Amino acid sequence: MWWCFGRSRPAWRKFAVSFPSAPAARSRWGGQILPRRWLSSQPDLRELFARPALRRFLDQHCQPEEQPGGFRSALAARIRLLGDKEEELRETERLAREDENEDLRKLAEKEIISCEEEIEELRHQIVSLLIPSAETDKNDLVIEVTSGVGGLEAMLFTAEMFDMYQQYAAYKNWTFDTLTYTSSVIGGLRHASASIKGLEAYGQLKFEGGVHRVQRVPKTEKQGRIHTSTMTVAILPQPNEITLTINPKDLCIETKRASGAGGQHVNTTDSAVRIVHIPTGIVSECQQERSQIRNKEKAMELLQAKLYSIKLEEQTAKIHTARKIQIGTKGRSEKIRTYNFPQDRVTDHRIGKSVHHIQRFMLGEELLDEMIESLRRYSEYEVLMEVISENDASRPK
């Protein structure tokens, strides 16, 4: 009966990418069209808060709500406090310039440093209030890795990437549970998936989805030529019971004997489980565990993540049809990062950021964490620009 669902995999591929990334996205500030900015030229908070469009927005929202304790009330309180601190800073700087008493000038200089730190913190708080938090950011996730172009070298790189994310989960104190692992007889990894659970796991890893490219000399290359290979990462947020309900009548659940390397339970018991979601044709399989019950649980976990991802992509496509997102769609088809071993460099193409010490990066620790943090900050900056632009566009002329 396994052959009857042979066309299920293309159905899943069809849903994998909801829409392509848009080139050279632009943002409007006060009617002016700004070209795409890379992270290296991204303004800091001081420059950002000096923009006329943002100053107008802050002026409009500095009055408190009639009902205290709400979002607008918290935002207004911080905007007013920021204005007071900026005025205090200007007055202290004037005293530091004009006062003839050296002791008073030194005291004023210390006060300037303190004021600047408080202003920076208030700006961060205002940005956090302005940027809407995605409902999925706090969710757990399922990560899928698949080898792409490049044969054995691509499969070897896929195995290294899977290990890197497993080490990163340990670095963040998350749990990492392998759901599927399909290795190649010639070495490397064809496909694997894992469940990652922990504090804001999806919010941290959501920008890792896409095509990762590796450039290096394979161990089997005798003439020293550099080969280019690819692998794909998919990041699927895990739904909770409220956000996704699956009708048991829509499922076709089958069992078979596990195959491949794995010990005595392989090919002796019907422990492998295959679940097909009939309306979409999406397939989920698991044979990692000795227990059929445990394999069924893991297969359902993977199926739920796939269906939830489709649901989110459809919602996102409706909301953002006319938007151009510089940070990328997080889709499978988007080439997001290059790992250049000869140059000892990792480059993320969405933000133009490069880091060196590629072996340290592949350890899945601080260098990977810094790259993910850069992506998150740039995404927040981009969303903030959009929020202010929409507010400015709706302002009466």
Side-chain angles (χ1 to χ4, degrees):
M1 290 296 292
W2 289 73
W3 55 268
C4 67
F5 299 104
R7 291 183 293 178
S8 298
R9 185 168 292 275
W12 161 238
R13 296 298 181 204
K14 178 178 69 174
F15 288 109
V17 182
S18 59
F19 51 94
S21 61
R26 291 179 159 190
S27 300
R28 293 182 55 193
W29 282 77
Q32 179 185 8
I33 304 296
L34 296 179
R36 178 172 182 164
R37 303 177 68 108
W38 296 112
L39 186 69
S40 58
S41 61
Q42 175 188 341
D44 58 18
L45 284 179
R46 180 180 299 181
E47 181 183 342
L48 189 63
F49 272 74
R51 290 184 180 275
L54 183 53
R55 300 306 306 185
R56 284 194 297 268
F57 180 88
L58 297 180
D59 291 341
Q60 292 170 14
H61 293 79
C62 66
Q63 299 303 319
E65 288 181 311
E66 294 182 2
Q67 296 287 339
F71 158 75
R72 289 285 300 275
S73 178
L75 177 63
R78 284 165 176 78
I79 292 174
R80 293 195 305 274
L81 187 55
L82 176 64
D84 293 342
K85 279 295 174 183
E86 287 176 335
E87 178 61 31
E88 181 182 336
L89 176 63
R90 286 190 291 270
E91 180 64 20
T92 306
E93 288 175 334
R94 185 186 65 79
L95 290 174
R97 288 192 307 268
E98 298 176 359
D99 204 304
E100 297 180 356
N101 188 306
E102 185 177 350
D103 292 336
L104 289 177
R105 283 202 307 270
K106 289 182 178 179
L107 186 63
E109 289 171 358
K110 291 181 180 179
E111 188 65 26
I112 287 172
I113 295 174
S114 176
C115 276
E116 288 176 340
E117 290 175 351
E118 292 182 50
I119 287 172
E120 187 79 2
E121 177 60 27
L122 284 168
R123 286 170 177 167
H124 278 293
Q125 292 178 13
I126 290 171
V127 168
S128 297
L129 287 170
L130 288 176
I131 297 173
S133 178
E135 62 177 77
T136 55
D137 280 357
K138 295 182 180 180
N139 288 28
D140 300 327
L141 65 97
V142 168
I143 183 172
E144 286 189 320
V145 298
T146 307
S147 64
V149 178
L152 174 59
E153 180 62 19
M155 289 185 281
L156 291 172
F157 181 57
T158 303
E160 293 172 25
M161 290 292 289
F162 191 70
D163 290 342
M164 180 185 77
Y165 289 120
Q166 185 171 8
Q167 291 163 0
Y168 184 66
Y171 176 76
K172 301 293 285 187
N173 293 317
W174 298 334
T175 61
F176 187 97
D177 186 14
T178 301
L179 301 177
T180 62
Y181 195 94
T182 306
S183 57
S184 168
V185 293
I186 60 175
L189 179 62
R190 292 185 182 275
H191 174 84
S193 61
S195 170
I196 299 179
K197 298 180 180 180
L199 181 62
E200 297 186 348
Y202 181 73
Q204 291 285 318
L205 284 174
K206 61 184 179 180
F207 297 118
E208 290 298 293
V211 176
H212 296 245
R213 181 177 65 175
V214 61
Q215 295 175 321
R216 63 184 176 188
V217 179
K219 295 179 180 179
T220 56
E221 173 59 51
K222 297 181 180 179
Q223 298 182 7
R225 291 176 298 185
I226 298 174
H227 290 221
T228 298
S229 306
T230 63
M231 60 82 62
T232 302
V233 175
I235 305 294
L236 312 175
Q238 277 280 49
N240 55 45
E241 295 179 0
I242 299 174
T243 55
L244 181 67
T245 302
I246 300 176
N247 189 339
K249 295 180 180 179
D250 291 337
L251 302 178
C252 177
I253 302 176
E254 300 175 344
T255 61
K256 72 163 189 174
R257 293 185 177 182
S259 60
Q264 294 180 351
H265 74 291
V266 173
N267 289 321
T268 60
T269 60
D270 292 338
S271 58
V273 176
R274 173 187 175 98
I275 304 177
V276 181
H277 186 249
I278 298 171
T280 61
I282 293 176
V283 178
S284 176
E285 303 176 18
C286 184
Q287 63 174 31
Q288 292 299 115
E289 305 291 334
R290 295 174 180 269
S291 165
Q292 183 186 116
I293 295 175
R294 182 65 180 132
N295 280 332
K296 181 181 177 181
E297 291 174 352
K298 286 191 172 185
M300 276 299 298
E301 190 174 353
L302 180 57
L303 178 65
Q304 288 172 340
K306 289 182 177 181
L307 291 174
Y308 188 49
S309 180
I310 293 171
K311 178 182 175 182
L312 288 178
E313 286 174 351
E314 290 173 348
Q315 292 175 351
T316 304
K318 291 177 183 177
I319 296 171
H320 302 298
T321 301
R323 288 175 55 185
K324 297 180 178 180
I325 305 176
Q326 294 177 23
I327 203 68
T329 64
K330 303 181 290 295
R332 288 172 177 253
S333 64
E334 184 183 8
K335 182 172 67 179
I336 62 168
R337 195 175 295 155
T338 294
Y339 302 74
N340 190 309
F341 277 77
Q343 297 180 13
D344 194 27
R345 169 179 53 83
V346 179
T347 299
D348 196 289
H349 304 293
R350 297 162 294 180
I351 57 176
K353 179 179 176 68
S354 294
V355 297
H356 293 276
H357 307 293
I358 194 168
Q359 295 292 351
R360 282 180 55 201
F361 188 92
M362 298 295 291
L363 290 176
E365 296 179 349
E366 65 272 4
L367 287 185
L368 175 59
D369 196 48
E370 288 173 10
M371 180 68 80
I372 290 173
E373 180 65 15
S374 296
L375 287 161
R376 188 188 63 80
R377 287 181 179 177
Y378 192 82
S379 176
E380 289 182 350
Y381 161 73
E382 193 177 42
V383 171
L384 179 60
M385 289 180 68
E386 184 173 297
V387 169
I388 305 306
S389 298
E390 290 174 354
N391 177 81
D392 209 49
S394 63
R395 187 171 58 91
K397 303 298 182 183

